[in-house]
Amino acid sequence: MSKSYKIAVIGGDGTGPEVVREGVKVLKAAAAKFGFKLDLTDFDFGGARYLRTGEVLPATAVEDLRKFNAIYLGAIGHPDVKPGILEKGILLKLRFDLDQYINLRPVKLYPGVECPLKNKGPADIDYVVVRENTGDMYTGAGGFTMKDTPHEVAVQAAVYSRFQVDRALRFAFELARARGKKRTLALCGKTNVLTFVYDLWDRAFHEMGARDFPDIKREYYHVDATCMWMIKNPEWFDVIVTGNLFGDIITDLAAMTQGGMGIAAGGNLNPAPGGVSMFEPIGGSAPKYTGQNVINPLAAICAGMMMLDQLGEKAAAAAIEKSVMELTAHKLKSIAAGRMGYSTTQVGDLVAESL
Ligand code: IPM
Ligand code: MN
């Protein structure tokens, strides 16, 4: 009997539904070719639903989503909703409540994709950022005192437990081993200023590395220097591990070096047995391109590829990547929305057909 996967599909806001539609097209083609089944269920979570109902997420949403093997997400963010409401109420809530403690961001420059770095090509840009996804300044620890007075104070604390740090580090070490490339793990921190939080990271990093991963070389970079080397010498990196906030920042920088938001995908992983992970293009809802059939769906297609890889459908994932690479190398004029030489739906068709 062929395997069957229950996938929750959240198209979300803006161009999210358009790119997810193409991703689903490719996933279905892969399922047919590689002999597995997909049982897809749509959810209407996002800004439009919030504006209509006043409710960010229905009370049963998290429990409902736990019943799926994975979540495939388009984009969350609406120009008519105050910043923070949808991000915290949907995206971050799902990451936290489903304990998706790893944010995995492959940074790979595909052939034919224009790179803003001079003299760098696909051989130079091929690494993965492991961003811790549940702690740091994202926990909401903090608050205001004397709000709306001249003496107002705001505190937002970077919070990390040893447990959170250890599980993120272990994932990253294991990934460096599994990739089998440079067998190097770089910790990105700020031990010269954040002498508590990144001291904890640094000690945990070297203790675990020396004890359990002697075959993996350890490197350390401050976050500011990491940004510098990601531009100057991206070929140095294999796997980078870092906290939630630095990870958020450096992965947008990394995305630009791999061709931009049209191609960059990420996974919010709960690697535990039975854990529900969520896969998304990282580009956001792009309101100005909504409904025009010009946005690039490759990032969403690559998110779908990551989802299949995580579900264990390795051959299907590899085939999707191959098709995407053929397209970037030989067909697409550009990665940018509106300049691809094809529409959103045509790009989806091309990938699905070439499978
Ligand atoms: C990301 C996004 C989110 C984050 C926002 C939308 C809350 O920027 O996935 O990187 O900061 O994590
Ligand atoms: Mn971000």
Side-chain angles (χ1 to χ4, degrees):
M1 212 184 76
S2 70
K3 279 201 171 166
S4 179
Y5 303 100
K6 281 172 63 104
I7 308 293
V9 181
I10 308 174
D13 298 315
T15 51
E18 295 170 48
V19 295
V20 154
R21 201 174 301 131
E22 301 316 307
V24 164
K25 191 187 278 176
V26 172
L27 289 170
K28 284 183 174 164
K33 169 108 201 277
F34 289 88
F36 57 89
K37 290 206 178 67
L38 293 171
D39 176 5
L40 305 166
T41 308
D42 277 303
F43 289 85
D44 68 349
F45 307 153
R49 179 180 196 283
Y50 170 68
L51 290 171
R52 201 173 64 237
T53 65
E55 186 182 64
V56 185
L57 268 188
T60 58
V62 174
E63 286 323 303
D64 293 344
L65 291 172
R66 272 189 218 286
K67 298 181 191 119
F68 288 82
N69 296 109
I71 303 168
Y72 188 43
L73 172 71
I76 298 291
H78 196 289
D80 301 336
V81 181
K82 194 177 151 222
I85 295 179
L86 302 172
E87 293 85 343
K88 281 190 163 179
I90 302 178
L91 195 59
L92 298 183
K93 184 174 171 57
L94 294 180
R95 287 178 183 174
F96 287 148
D97 287 8
L98 296 171
D99 203 20
Q100 295 165 343
Y101 64 87
I102 297 295
N103 191 312
L104 191 68
R105 279 278 299 108
V107 184
K108 187 164 174 179
L109 178 65
Y110 287 140
V113 174
E114 198 187 330
C115 174
L117 306 183
K118 203 170 137 198
N119 302 329
K120 299 294 176 190
D124 304 302
I125 301 178
D126 183 6
Y127 58 95
V128 182
V129 179
V130 174
R131 163 187 173 189
E132 199 291 327
N133 213 26
T134 62
D136 213 342
M137 294 204 202
Y138 278 73
T139 57
F144 303 105
T145 51
M146 294 168 279
K147 193 165 183 207
D148 294 326
T149 77
H151 300 281
E152 175 167 353
V153 176
V155 179
Q156 193 124 22
V159 179
Y160 263 117
S161 69
R162 178 74 190 236
F163 171 78
Q164 285 174 311
V165 170
D166 274 342
R167 66 181 181 173
L169 288 172
R170 184 164 300 282
F171 182 92
F173 274 118
E174 276 168 1
L175 181 62
R177 190 179 269 167
R179 274 168 66 83
K181 293 205 162 158
K182 291 165 148 1
R183 304 182 82 81
T184 297
L185 179 61
L187 172 64
C188 162
K190 190 73 185 169
T191 53
N192 52 348
V193 176
L194 304 183
T195 49
F196 307 126
V197 163
Y198 278 99
D199 186 75
L200 169 59
W201 273 88
D202 194 59
R203 277 181 285 121
F205 177 58
H206 290 295
E207 275 173 36
M208 183 180 292
R211 187 183 61 232
D212 298 337
F213 300 93
D215 52 318
I216 304 299
K217 188 163 161 252
R218 277 166 273 141
E219 292 179 342
Y220 172 83
Y221 301 94
H222 293 319
V223 62
D224 45 356
T226 309
C227 292
M228 196 169 77
W229 299 125
M230 281 166 63
I231 303 299
K232 180 97 181 14
N233 294 108
E235 68 280 3
W236 286 357
F237 296 115
D238 181 9
V239 179
I240 299 178
V241 64
T242 190
N244 206 345
L245 184 62
F246 293 165
D248 177 46
I249 298 166
I250 69 169
T251 54
D252 269 23
L253 177 64
M256 294 321 288
T257 68
Q258 71 180 120
M261 293 303 174
I263 194 93
N268 302 276
L269 310 185
N270 177 342
V276 182
S277 301
M278 176 165 74
F279 299 84
E280 52 174 336
I282 74 163
S285 57
K288 75 172 181 183
Y289 295 120
T290 302
Q292 297 177 29
N293 202 21
V294 295
I295 194 88
N296 189 342
L298 284 184
I301 290 169
C302 290
M305 160 188 96
M306 291 179 73
M307 179 168 79
L308 292 185
D309 189 76
Q310 214 246 351
L311 289 169
E313 296 295 336
K314 306 277 175 198
I320 294 175
E321 182 165 57
K322 190 161 165 271
S323 296
V324 169
M325 280 161 72
E326 264 163 32
L327 202 64
T328 60
H330 304 297
K331 295 212 160 127
L332 286 197
K333 288 208 197 91
S334 162
I335 287 299
R339 287 191 270 129
M340 299 185 289
Y342 297 93
S343 67
T344 307
T345 40
Q346 284 173 326
V347 171
D349 289 341
L350 284 169
V351 179
E353 281 159 18
S354 82
L355 278 177

